[in-house]
Amino acid sequence: MQILKKPFGEYKTNCYILKFAQGQVVLDPGVGASQWIQEQCNNVIAILNTHGHFDHIWDNSLVKRLYPKAKIFCHQKDSFLLKSDVFGLGMPLSTPDFEIQADKSSQDIELADLLITFHHFPGHTPGCCMVEINNCVFSGDFIFRGCIGRSDFAYSNAQDMRESLLRFRDIQRFENLLAYPGHGKSTRLGDEQRNVENWL
Ligand SMILES: [Zn+2]
């Protein structure tokens, strides 16, 4: 698996392209990401959204138009953020092809011989997830390097965030996994598990 990363838009939201023999998987195509994706990809098989905030999903529909076979995956509790422009920003709408149902737990998806696991950690948004592929964790806006996602936005829930952080801290198998966040640099999840007490 080859991982490409590029930040897009006002919030420098990281878009990731994962290259496999079977094709490419795109994570969180933000504002303007589709052009870069078009330069890098010949066969996008999936568009994965860690959560439904506009800066992570803005180019979903453009990527889907370029690669009609690509399936959009998002947690069912964030689907409304793709299907309607709730913040009134003129965002292009998109519809998930597959909705993750896991409730504060994990769900495996098999796609073209790839195993993709969504770990649901609500708080930043109702359907906020970390997405794990090949021992790499795309942590969205849940966990950053030395920081966590905000839980004071519309549709955020600070109590859910606190519960998610406690659950995250105690999952031992995360210890040695690398995390690729929605903003900023990569980190080791074990380091961020040790930081959790700073945010409670
Ligand atoms: Zn967000």
Side-chain angles (χ1 to χ4, degrees), residues 15 26-34 37 44 46-68 70-75 78-79 81-83 91-98:
C15 175
V26 169
L27 263 122
D28 288 355
V31 181
S34 60
I37 292 164
V44 176
I47 301 162
L48 312 180
N49 294 142
T50 58
H51 66 296
H53 275 156
F54 65 90
D55 57 319
H56 296 254
I57 64 169
W58 191 282
D59 270 14
N60 271 8
S61 64
L62 281 170
V63 177
K64 180 88 176 175
R65 202 173 303 157
L66 291 167
Y67 305 93
K71 288 190 166 54
I72 298 176
F73 292 76
C74 177
H75 194 280
D78 271 16
S79 274
L81 294 168
L82 278 61
K83 292 192 265 192
M91 182 189 75
L93 304 182
S94 56
T95 304
D97 297 288
F98 190 96

Side-chain angles (χ1 to χ4, degrees), residues 43-195:
N43 179 28
V44 176
I45 56 176
I47 301 162
L48 312 180
N49 294 142
T50 58
H51 66 296
H53 275 156
F54 65 90
D55 57 319
H56 296 254
I57 64 169
W58 191 282
D59 270 14
N60 271 8
S61 64
L62 281 170
V63 177
K64 180 88 176 175
R65 202 173 303 157
L66 291 167
Y67 305 93
K69 283 188 280 183
K71 288 190 166 54
I72 298 176
F73 292 76
C74 177
H75 194 280
Q76 53 114 352
K77 288 192 172 168
D78 271 16
S79 274
F80 74 101
L81 294 168
L82 278 61
K83 292 192 265 192
S84 56
D85 183 19
V86 296
F87 299 106
L89 298 167
M91 182 189 75
L93 304 182
S94 56
T95 304
D97 297 288
F98 190 96
E99 295 184 331
I100 307 303
Q101 305 289 334
D103 184 18
K104 301 180 181 175
S105 60
S106 301
Q107 182 174 342
D108 289 339
I109 303 296
E110 283 185 52
L111 184 79
D113 290 333
L114 302 174
L115 177 64
I116 300 168
T117 307
F118 278 77
H119 303 287
H120 181 218
F121 287 107
H124 178 70
T125 62
C128 194
C129 289
M130 299 204 297
V131 181
E132 179 179 348
I133 308 177
N134 285 358
N135 289 327
C136 294
V137 174
F138 298 88
S139 57
D141 285 3
F142 177 47
I143 297 291
F144 303 120
R145 180 172 180 157
C147 196
I148 59 165
R150 287 172 60 173
S151 56
D152 60 339
F153 292 130
Y155 312 109
S156 295
N157 184 312
Q159 180 58 32
D160 281 350
M161 187 61 159
R162 184 184 160 82
E163 287 174 20
S164 288
L165 287 167
L166 290 169
R167 188 159 53 84
F168 161 74
R169 183 185 64 183
D170 294 337
I171 297 177
Q172 290 187 355
R173 61 172 297 277
F174 283 162
E175 166 78 29
N176 291 311
L177 302 186
L178 270 182
Y180 297 82
H183 305 268
K185 291 180 179 167
S186 301
T187 184
R188 201 164 286 281
L189 278 184
D191 293 340
E192 304 312 326
Q193 287 177 308
R194 283 181 284 280
N195 283 337

